[in-house]
Amino acid sequence: MLAIFAGLFAYPNYFNTAVDYVNQKMSWTLPHFWEKNYSLGLDLQGGVTLVYQADLSTATSKSEAMSGLRDVIERRVNMFGVSEPVVQIQGEDKLLVELPGVTNVEQAIKMIGETPYLEFDEQRTTEETTKITDKIKEVQAAQDAGKDITQIIDWILALQNPYFKPTDLTGKYLKKATVVFDQTTYKPQIQLEFDDEGAKLFAEITARNIEKPLAIYLDGYSIIDTTGDGKIDNSDLYAPTVQSEITGGKAVITSVNMSTQTANSIASRLNSGALPVKIGSPISQETVGPTLGSTSLQKSLMAGIYGLLAVAVFMIIFYRLPGLLASIALLIYVAINLSIFKLIPVTLTMAGIGGFILSIGMAVDANILIFARMKEEIKQGKGLAQAIEEGFRRAWPSIRDSNFNSLIVCAILFMFATSFIKGFAFTLALGIIISLFSAIFITRILLMIFVGKWAEKAKWLL
C-alpha cells in the first residue's frame, strides 16, 4: 500500500489519464490522484542570479549588518511570491540572491532595489557646509577650465549632502511603522517605533539637535513629497525641526501633502524591511533560461533511470532471486524518496539530483552486506528462514556504522557548505535514511515471502 501510494504521488500522470479515460467511457466522476509539483531550483527551471556588494563603511559589526541585510532581502523577495529564493552571504560584504522562475533581470533588480534604506540625517555646521560648497564651486571652475576633476568629484560624492550628514540611526533599528491619525486635524501620520538601541540613539540625536532640522531619507530621497508636485525627487526635503529631546523610542512623521494612501505605502515599505546597510546595483548578474533548465532536468532524469537500471542488472546477475527482490525494494525506495521530495518540499537542483542518484547506488550497500551474510549461513547448512534472520542480524552493525558515518559527512556539508552543496548533502542524507528502511524492512518482507520447501530445493536461485 505504501509503495502504491508513493508511486502514484511521485508520478500521478498515468493514473489520472486512466481515470479520465474511464470517466469518459463509463460516464463516471472518479477523482484524480492528488497532484503536487516538484519544487525546482534555479538551474532546472530558469531564473536570475544576482550578486550585490554592501557598503559596510558605517557598520559597527559587519557580520551583524550582513545577517540583517540577508534577512531583509529574503523577506522582501518572499513578498513577491518568488518560489524558493536563495539569499546567502558570500565572503565579508557580498550577498548572493537567486530567484527561480524570474527571467527578467530588470524586474529582479527592481524587486531588490525597492527595499528601502531609512536614514536620519542631522544638519551640518556652517563650517562644514561652507567647506563642501566651496569644493563644489572649485569643481565647477576646474571643469570650466578643462582640468581633471575625477578625485574631487569622488570626494564630494562620498560626502553626499552639503547640508545634512548621516547619523548612526538607520532602518536597522526600526521595529515597526504604523499609520495613525492626528486627533486634531485627522491627517494621516506615520509612527515609527525603534528597538531599545534605536531609542537610545534617537534620544541622543534629538537632544543635540534641539531647534534644528532632522532630515529623514528613504533610499536617498525625502520620505514624502514636500513640494506637492506629485513625485519624490531631489527637490523634496522632509526635515522637521526638533522641539525637544524625544525619549521612548517613538517618532511621528507628518506632512500636509501626505495622503492616507501614501502613508500606508511608506509604512508598508518600511515594515517590509529597511536595509541596515546600503547596496547599489548588482556587481554580477546571470540569467538561466527555462529551455536550458528543462534540458538539464531531462538529462538528469535519464541519468537517474540509467543508474537505477545498472544497479538492478548488477544485483540480479550477482545475487539472483535476492537481487531481484532488492531491485523491487529499490523501485519502492525511489518512489518513497520522490514522494518525500514533494511533501517537504525539497528544492531540487542539479546538485540535489546528483545526491539522489548517488543514493540509489548506496541504497543497495545494505542489501549486499545482508546477502553476503546469508550466503555464509546457507553454506554452513542452515535453513533459508534461519539464514535470512542471521544475515540481517549479523549485517546490521556494519550497515549502521557505515551509514551513520555517511550521515555525519552529510551533516557537515549541510552546515558549512554553500547552498549548492547543501542541496546535494540533504538529498543524499534523505536517501541514506530511506535506504535503511527499504533494505531492513522491505527487502526482508519480500525475502520472507519466498521461505518454503520449494525455495529450500531451489537454492541455486540464491
Side-chain angles (χ1 to χ4, degrees), residues 16-254:
N16 290 339
T17 301
V19 167
D20 289 337
Y21 179 79
V22 172
N23 287 341
Q24 185 180 2
K25 292 293 183 182
M26 308 298 292
S27 298
W28 291 351
T29 56
L30 297 175
H32 279 186
F33 196 86
W34 181 27
E35 291 191 49
K36 181 177 173 64
N37 292 329
Y38 290 101
S39 179
L40 301 180
L42 184 145
D43 54 349
L44 294 179
Q45 67 166 308
V48 176
T49 300
L50 302 170
V51 179
Y52 286 90
Q53 186 163 19
D55 179 7
L56 301 177
S57 57
T58 59
T60 52
S61 172
K62 294 182 179 180
S63 60
E64 288 183 10
M66 289 303 296
S67 296
L69 179 65
R70 179 197 59 209
D71 294 341
V72 169
I73 294 294
E74 198 165 45
R75 287 199 303 270
R76 186 67 178 181
V77 295
N78 282 331
M79 285 178 62
F80 284 84
V82 178
S83 173
E84 299 295 332
V86 174
V87 183
Q88 197 170 57
I89 299 169
Q90 285 190 335
E92 187 179 69
D93 60 352
K94 291 182 176 61
L95 194 74
L96 170 71
V97 182
E98 292 183 350
L99 305 174
V102 177
T103 53
N104 187 326
V105 180
E106 295 302 321
Q107 178 192 9
I109 293 173
K110 183 181 178 183
M111 183 189 303
I112 302 300
E114 282 184 348
T115 305
Y117 177 81
L118 179 68
E119 57 185 322
F120 292 79
D121 290 6
E122 59 187 353
Q123 193 175 36
R124 293 185 185 277
T125 63
T126 306
E127 292 76 13
E128 288 176 320
T129 299
T130 302
K131 185 178 179 181
I132 297 172
T133 52
D134 287 346
K135 278 291 181 182
I136 292 174
K137 292 175 183 177
E138 183 183 329
V139 169
Q140 291 172 342
Q143 190 174 23
D144 293 339
K147 294 181 180 178
D148 183 12
I149 58 171
T150 306
Q151 291 184 344
I152 303 176
I153 288 176
D154 290 341
W155 183 80
I156 292 174
L157 289 175
L159 292 173
Q160 294 180 346
N161 190 320
Y163 304 103
F164 290 91
K165 59 184 177 182
T167 65
D168 293 332
L169 185 62
T170 67
K172 172 183 178 180
Y173 305 101
L174 182 65
K175 192 184 273 187
K176 67 176 179 178
T178 54
V179 177
V180 296
F181 292 88
D182 187 278
Q183 295 299 312
T184 306
T185 63
Y186 301 106
K187 289 282 186 180
Q189 302 173 332
I190 302 170
Q191 182 173 278
L192 305 179
E193 185 177 345
F194 300 101
D195 60 17
D196 293 340
E197 192 174 349
K200 288 181 183 177
L201 287 171
F202 192 55
E204 292 172 5
I205 293 166
T206 53
R208 68 172 181 257
N209 284 284
I210 295 174
E211 300 299 329
K212 294 179 183 178
L214 186 67
I216 303 174
Y217 291 101
L218 194 63
D219 287 339
Y221 291 99
S222 173
I223 198 167
I224 47 182
D225 176 18
T226 55
T227 58
D229 59 359
K231 60 181 180 179
I232 297 176
D233 51 29
N234 289 324
S235 63
D236 295 297
L237 174 64
Y238 181 70
T241 301
V242 179
Q243 303 297 332
S244 61
E245 179 185 353
I246 302 175
T247 58
K250 289 185 178 180
V252 176
I253 299 171
T254 61

Side-chain angles (χ1 to χ4, degrees), residues 228-359:
D229 59 359
K231 60 181 180 179
I232 297 176
D233 51 29
N234 289 324
S235 63
D236 295 297
L237 174 64
Y238 181 70
T241 301
V242 179
Q243 303 297 332
S244 61
E245 179 185 353
I246 302 175
T247 58
K250 289 185 178 180
V252 176
I253 299 171
T254 61
S255 172
V256 293
N257 295 321
M258 184 162 58
S259 65
T260 304
Q261 183 179 358
T262 302
N264 283 323
S265 175
I266 293 172
S268 176
R269 289 183 67 202
L270 291 172
N271 285 325
S272 70
L275 297 181
V277 290
K278 291 182 180 178
I279 57 171
S281 299
I283 59 174
S284 171
Q285 60 188 54
E286 182 182 356
T287 304
V288 178
T291 303
L292 181 61
S294 177
T295 302
S296 300
L297 180 59
Q298 293 298 325
K299 288 184 177 180
S300 299
L301 291 174
M302 292 307 299
I305 292 170
Y306 292 150
L308 183 63
L309 290 174
V311 170
V313 169
F314 175 87
M315 292 297 291
I316 292 170
I317 291 174
F318 280 84
Y319 296 101
R320 303 174 193 173
L321 179 61
L324 175 63
L325 299 179
S327 300
I328 294 171
L330 192 61
L331 285 172
I332 299 173
Y333 156 81
V334 169
I336 294 173
N337 220 333
L338 292 176
S339 296
I340 292 177
F341 286 168
K342 278 189 176 183
L343 284 171
I344 291 179
V346 176
T347 302
L348 292 175
T349 62
M350 289 288 287
I353 291 178
F356 169 60
I357 294 173
L358 178 60
S359 72

